[in-house]
Amino acid sequence: MFLPIKWLKNYVDIKLPTKEIADGLTYSGSHVESIKKLNNGISNVVVGKIIKVKAHPNADKLKICTVDVSDEILTIVTGADNVREGDLVPVAKVGAKLPDGKEITEADFRGEKSYGMLCSLKELGYEDNVIPKEAKDGIFIIDDNVNIGENIVDVLSLDDEIIEFEITPNRPDCLSIYGMARETSATFNLELKKINVEIINQVDDISNLITGIDIKTNNCHRYYAKVIKDVNIKPSPLWLQTALMNAGIRPINNIVDVTNYVMLELGEPLHAFDASKIEGNKIIVRQANDLEELVTLDGVKRELKQDDIVIADIKKPIGLAGIMGGLNTEITSSTKLVLIEGANFEAKNIRLSSKRLGLRTEASTRFEKGVDESLCSFAVERACQLIEMIGAGKIINGSYDIIKNKNPQTIISLRPNRIEKLLGVKIPENEILNYLNRLEFEAKLEGDKINVKVPTFRKDVSVEADLIEEVGRLFGFHNIKPLPLYGNLTRGSRPKDKEIQNYIKDIFWGIGFNEAMTYSFLSPKVFDKLNLPQDHVLRNCVRLMNPLGEDYSVMRTSLIPNMLDLLNKNNNRGIERAMIYEIGNIFVPNSIPDSLPDEMMRICLGIYGDKDFYFMKDAIETLLERLGIKDVKFSRENESPIFHPGKSARILKDGRILGVFGEVHPEVLKNYNFDNRVYIGDLDFNGIFENINMDWKYTDLPKYPSIDRDIAIVVDEDVAVGDIEEIIYANGEGLIESIDLFDIYRGNQIDNGKKSLAFSIRYRSNDRTLKDEDIIQIQKRILNKLEERFHAKLRG
């Protein structure tokens, strides 16, 4: 939002330097981006009148102009094609300086002396995007009554300064010069001058030219229209052109310039239609038909959808509501009859249409944030006043004003003691009333409360706290002294599950894992890469209605695809080994229709390189041990198509599965073009969290010595080591301190389908020294039970 200071002073009589104005508005809550000076070193450039133009005798593309600059007559050679006798033009005299640092000197052009330079707007420092098209490639012709010899800086208001603001989405009322004038008036406690709208002469009757306005959508809250006849399309007066250019808008013609001027002034976007091209002489506001087409003013054919709002006549759309008009009713040099539209549309529809079509305009920027409905009529009447003032046409008597939705006025009770409690400073009641009334709130003290009527342009104020913020920003938050906190203070901390997550991260970091964080969205194609059956539970996923693309169209039901992608990227980049973990949510559709999905936290581990299945198992056991989770069992995993059936295991605690880990199935690795063995662990964080026992208890060091005994048994290949250890513990009479599997052997002297397992068993008693005969009896019982259960044979 650009705020020219000269334009601001039309409504607020402020005499402070621009820097102080910007500082004051910053203190009251406005965000100043920059301050720009329009005059970047221009000097000795004046208005001149071309008296005579003749061809250069020695150059076909040059002309010799005789120019009157009031105090002297100059001969100037130019290459411009658009200069004519009688034109008023900017003349840089000898010794003049231009914004680009160029200094004008006497020059010789093929034998003809030139004592100055005729200037274009670009040479005077204007950006290309604000220069009128007819003045873009030539000398700027001043089509207005100005004095010869007058300083061009004064003529074009180049002595102005511009404050650029970043307007937050909740303050669309500040997207206008008058809105910022209101802020300036309130901030500096100055009178805000009202804009008095008066149309001196109105003729005929609007119903003779436009038969009616029909609103067929609930997304148009109000539509106000007036008509102008005998329109004379031509360039705008210089004051209007310079006002627009200094505010960042390109002048087009007098009618369009007036609508843009009022939009910048009041914040209400207007649109002008060539009324002679409106078929049926009727305006219809409706939702677009699917695949309906409209060529907008930028010459682009746009395919519309039902969510778009259009302005139409009885046969076709003539404008994309709130965004851009149609080319079929464009104001041209032949236009004689104009309809001025001031409307109010549903902000959400404008925003979504603008985004979908990739078409963002000054109008859509305002409408998508919410515009005050009461501005419709005032802005159109203001535009008609200006059109009459500049002689661009005759205003037709009457108007159409269709109000579809009218918002009730907001009334809020404000407690002065609440202001003191929230702001930490006591502000007198009369000062509170003064602040609110300066902002055009109607504030009245009634008893111990202040009743406040909120103006319709302040849609962001709806509760008492909003009013307190308004009081605070005009009082000046910088004037509020910091105070220590008071009351019953509590100590903030993370939730228990977050603390555990951080603790788990520390454990993995100590083991050597690196943390990763991946997107929660993935492609449904990953389920095929994991070789999952069509009815597999992981395929039951949440699908996005408006995804960024196919690769991000569903929400993940497992962290494994992300981990495999991550490991594969590292492998393809020549990383020889990787140890990665991620703690993140998966998303499962809820059984209740139209409800949010269930989110479940998972832990995923990924390894490739010089580590194997047993390293993964040891890492998981270390994690569970550090979390105080005991009596965990491991069983073979045979059901998941993701894992190798002979090299994967489930983790069980009291019958509940806490996770699965193991080597990834070779067929899955082929789908990922992986040439290394990969080990994945997929753990249920919630199951782990529920079994955590961090209540550590410490015992004395053993008083009695231990006895170690080794046994080696031969069992069938499919017997699990965990089942064997369970039998050993169960028959150890409470004297077994630990069991370590230290050898697995297959080969000579062992039958096919068999394996030899060697265990080291440590015995210890807490109340006596064990003897060999104690251990011999226990060992015999253990071997008998193993033979009975698994047909185990003691290996000789």
Side-chain angles (χ1 to χ4, degrees):
M1 168 67 195
F2 294 112
L3 178 64
I5 298 302
K6 279 192 170 182
W7 199 344
L8 171 70
K9 290 181 178 180
N10 290 341
Y11 318 111
V12 182
D13 187 15
I14 187 166
K15 297 179 172 60
L16 294 174
T18 302
K19 178 66 166 59
E20 291 187 28
I21 296 174
D23 288 344
L25 289 171
T26 297
Y27 284 132
S28 65
S30 300
H31 185 184
V32 174
E33 289 279 308
S34 64
I35 299 175
K36 177 184 176 182
K37 292 185 177 182
L38 294 178
N39 183 0
N40 294 317
I42 297 176
S43 66
N44 208 20
V45 181
V46 299
V47 176
K49 183 176 183 179
I50 299 176
I51 301 172
K52 185 177 180 181
V53 179
K54 65 178 182 179
H56 193 292
N58 303 317
D60 295 339
K61 294 185 178 181
L62 297 179
K63 295 180 176 68
I64 301 173
C65 299
T66 303
V67 184
D68 182 1
V69 293
S70 181
D71 58 346
E72 59 181 323
I73 305 296
L74 301 176
T75 299
I76 298 175
V77 178
T78 181
D81 291 329
N82 66 322
V83 292
R84 304 290 183 270
E85 292 181 5
D87 284 347
L88 297 177
V89 294
V91 179
K93 301 163 70 173
V94 172
K97 291 184 179 179
L98 299 179
D100 60 1
K102 182 178 181 180
E103 185 171 346
I104 305 303
T105 60
E106 179 184 325
D108 184 290
F109 292 92
R110 296 200 177 185
E112 294 291 336
K113 295 286 186 180
S114 180
Y115 300 94
M117 185 179 85
L118 307 184
C119 299
S120 67
L121 286 177
K122 187 172 184 178
E123 288 165 332
L124 294 175
Y126 284 96
E127 300 288 340
D128 282 339
N129 64 320
V130 301
I131 298 174
K133 290 181 179 179
E134 61 273 12
K136 201 166 187 179
D137 298 320
I139 303 305
F140 178 57
I141 308 302
I142 303 171
D143 190 14
D144 214 334
N145 294 321
V146 295
N147 297 322
I148 298 172
E150 192 172 352
N151 191 336
I152 201 68
V153 171
D154 298 329
V155 171
L156 298 180
S157 294
L158 290 171
D159 55 341
D160 202 356
E161 291 182 309
I162 313 295
I163 303 177
E164 182 182 1
F165 292 92
E166 179 188 357
I167 305 299
T168 53
N170 67 313
R171 292 300 306 274
D173 59 297
C174 290
L175 280 170
S176 65
I177 306 298
Y178 197 73
M180 289 309 303
R182 187 186 296 114
E183 287 292 303
T184 305
S185 166
T187 299
F188 296 97
N189 198 15
L190 298 170
E191 180 185 356
L192 178 66
K193 300 175 186 177
K194 301 298 181 183
I195 300 174
N196 296 315
V197 175
E198 181 183 1
I199 302 172
I200 298 172
N201 186 37
Q202 299 190 63
V203 298
D204 298 340
D205 188 278
I206 191 173
S207 61
N208 296 330
L209 300 168
I210 299 295
T211 59
I213 308 292
D214 189 4
I215 299 180
K216 294 184 175 181
T217 173
N218 291 326
N219 293 318
C220 178
H221 304 152
R222 187 178 183 185
Y223 196 97
Y224 190 91
K226 282 187 75 67
V227 175
I228 301 97
K229 76 170 188 177
D230 298 339
V231 173
N232 180 21
I233 301 295
K234 61 180 181 179
S236 298
L238 189 59
W239 69 265
L240 181 51
Q241 291 193 53
T242 55
L244 292 177
M245 289 191 293
N246 292 351
I249 298 290
R250 184 201 305 277
I252 297 174
N253 59 54
N254 49 4
I255 297 296
V256 175
D257 290 351
V258 164
T259 62
N260 284 332
Y261 181 91
V262 174
M263 177 186 68
L264 293 177
E265 181 183 48
L266 300 178
E268 165 68 27
L270 302 178
H271 187 67
F273 297 95
D274 187 329
S276 65
K277 299 174 183 177
I278 299 175
E279 297 191 59
N281 298 327
K282 185 177 183 181
I283 291 290
I284 301 169
V285 186
R286 59 175 172 81
Q287 298 298 134
N289 299 318
D290 267 341
L291 305 182
E292 190 170 25
E293 293 182 341
L294 172 67
V295 179
T296 46
L297 286 171
D298 55 1
V300 178
K301 181 186 288 186
R302 303 188 185 275
E303 189 176 279
L304 307 180
K305 294 187 176 182
Q306 287 185 354
D307 291 336
D308 303 322
I309 314 168
V310 295
I311 312 300
D313 57 25
I314 62 172
K315 289 187 177 180
K316 63 186 182 300
I318 60 175
L320 187 56
I323 301 176
M324 185 177 284
L327 194 63
N328 50 17
T329 52
E330 179 187 19
I331 302 296
T332 65
S333 58
S334 61
T335 298
K336 295 300 178 183
L337 189 67
V338 168
L339 181 142
I340 302 289
E341 163 197 285
N344 189 277
F345 304 104
E346 181 64 34
K348 181 179 178 181
N349 284 74
I350 303 302
R351 178 175 58 83
L352 293 177
S353 293
S354 175
K355 182 179 179 181
R356 182 181 63 80
L357 295 168
L359 182 60
R360 192 170 178 83
T361 62
E362 290 284 347
S364 68
T365 298
R366 288 163 172 78
F367 277 126
E368 69 185 22
K369 293 176 175 63
V371 178
D372 180 12
E373 294 92 340
S374 66
L375 280 175
C376 295
S377 57
F378 186 74
V380 172
E381 296 286 337
R382 172 65 167 160
C384 290
Q385 177 192 31
L386 294 174
I387 288 171
E388 183 181 59
M389 187 177 75
I390 65 176
K394 295 179 181 178
I395 312 303
I396 299 297
N397 189 45
S399 61
Y400 285 102
D401 188 11
I402 312 299
I403 300 176
K404 195 81 171 178
N405 299 314
K406 189 172 183 179
N407 293 326
Q409 186 167 31
T410 302
I411 300 176
I412 304 172
S413 290
L414 176 62
R415 297 164 290 176
N417 61 341
R418 186 63 177 166
I419 295 177
E420 182 180 357
K421 191 168 184 179
L422 287 185
L423 296 183
V425 62
K426 185 174 180 61
I427 302 175
E429 291 173 349
N430 62 333
E431 198 169 336
I432 295 171
L433 292 170
N434 178 38
Y435 290 148
L436 293 173
N437 288 320
R438 277 156 57 177
L439 288 165
E440 298 194 2
F441 293 85
E442 294 182 34
K444 195 174 185 180
L445 182 62
E446 297 180 4
D448 59 348
K449 294 181 180 179
I450 299 173
N451 287 328
V452 182
K453 289 184 179 179
V454 180
T456 55
F457 58 81
R458 289 304 302 273
K459 297 178 182 294
D460 60 309
V461 176
S462 58
V463 295
E464 184 184 36
D466 296 330
L467 290 175
I468 294 174
E469 181 183 4
E470 296 299 301
V471 172
R473 70 187 185 89
L474 282 197
F475 177 82
F477 290 118
H478 58 289
N479 293 323
I480 299 175
K481 295 180 180 179
L483 296 173
L485 295 174
Y486 66 92
N488 296 321
L489 304 180
T490 58
R491 180 180 178 183
S493 63
R494 294 187 185 92
K496 182 67 175 178
D497 61 329
K498 297 296 181 185
E499 291 286 357
I500 294 299
Q501 286 182 40
N502 289 337
Y503 184 55
I504 290 173
K505 291 178 182 181
D506 289 341
I507 294 170
F508 285 143
W509 178 254
I511 295 172
F513 283 87
N514 292 305
E515 184 179 9
M517 184 180 296
T518 60
Y519 287 117
S520 297
F521 312 108
L522 42 75
S523 168
K525 294 178 181 178
V526 301
F527 302 130
D528 296 328
K529 294 175 72 174
L530 294 176
N531 291 340
L532 299 179
Q534 290 301 315
D535 59 349
H536 197 277
V537 64
L538 293 183
R539 287 185 181 268
N540 182 26
C541 55
V542 177
R543 298 184 180 274
L544 302 183
M545 295 177 62
N546 187 26
L548 295 174
E550 172 68 16
D551 290 343
Y552 303 97
S553 60
V554 300
M555 302 191 77
R556 65 187 180 190
T557 53
S558 171
L559 302 185
I560 294 176
N562 304 66
M563 183 60 69
L564 287 172
D565 279 333
L566 193 58
L567 294 175
N568 197 28
K569 284 181 182 178
N570 280 271
N571 184 55
N572 291 339
R573 291 173 182 173
I575 308 299
E576 295 181 356
R577 59 187 296 270
M579 295 169 56
I580 301 172
Y581 78 92
E582 179 178 8
I583 302 176
N585 281 330
I586 62 171
F587 305 86
V588 178
N590 198 306
S591 58
I592 302 173
D594 299 324
S595 59
L596 294 174
D598 293 327
E599 298 184 36
M600 291 175 277
M601 187 74 68
R602 307 289 293 187
I603 305 171
C604 190
L605 309 175
I607 299 172
Y608 74 83
D610 57 355
K611 307 298 183 184
D612 58 12
F613 172 90
Y614 295 103
F615 180 87
M616 175 71 79
K617 180 173 181 289
D618 186 62
I620 293 172
E621 287 180 324
T622 299
L623 170 67
L624 298 177
E625 181 184 346
R626 295 280 296 276
L627 294 174
I629 302 175
K630 299 179 181 179
D631 301 324
V632 174
K633 298 179 181 179
F634 296 90
S635 67
R636 180 172 295 179
E637 171 57 58
N638 291 320
E639 297 180 6
S640 174
I642 301 173
F643 292 97
H644 193 300
K647 300 179 181 179
S648 55
R650 293 181 178 182
I651 309 161
L652 302 169
K653 169 66 175 175
D654 298 330
R656 178 175 179 175
I657 299 176
L658 299 186
V660 179
F661 70 96
E663 184 177 326
V664 177
H665 199 290
E667 294 299 323
V668 174
L669 292 181
K670 283 183 183 180
N671 296 335
Y672 281 88
N673 297 318
F674 223 116
D675 54 4
N676 282 326
R677 291 189 177 187
V678 176
Y679 300 91
I680 294 287
D682 181 27
L683 311 181
D684 177 8
F685 174 83
N686 294 329
I688 291 173
F689 183 74
E690 292 171 13
N691 284 282
I692 289 174
N693 181 9
M694 306 290 283
D695 185 18
W696 302 107
K697 294 181 179 179
Y698 296 89
T699 58
D700 292 336
L701 291 174
K703 295 180 180 180
Y704 302 100
S706 62
I707 296 179
D708 293 341
R709 290 289 185 268
D710 296 342
I711 60 171
I713 57 175
V714 178
V715 294
D716 292 338
E717 184 65 55
D718 60 354
V719 175
V721 171
D723 293 338
I724 294 174
E725 290 181 343
E726 186 177 346
I727 294 295
I728 295 174
Y729 273 119
N731 291 276
E733 297 183 3
L735 299 176
I736 298 178
E737 187 175 82
S738 64
I739 304 172
D740 290 321
L741 174 69
F742 66 87
D743 184 57
I744 300 176
Y745 177 74
R746 302 174 182 88
N748 295 335
Q749 302 176 356
I750 302 296
D751 296 338
N752 290 334
K754 300 284 186 178
K755 60 183 176 184
S756 170
L757 304 176
F759 297 91
S760 178
I761 306 173
R762 172 164 293 178
Y763 296 90
R764 191 194 303 271
S765 172
N766 292 327
D767 54 13
R768 58 192 173 90
T769 299
L770 295 176
K771 298 179 181 180
D772 284 343
E773 50 267 28
D774 298 325
I775 304 305
I776 291 171
Q777 294 302 319
I778 294 174
Q779 291 274 96
K780 285 182 178 180
R781 187 179 303 107
I782 289 172
L783 289 171
N784 289 336
K785 289 294 182 180
L786 290 174
E787 182 178 7
E788 179 183 324
R789 175 77 180 274
F790 302 114
H791 307 291
K793 300 295 182 183
L794 188 64
R795 183 181 173 191

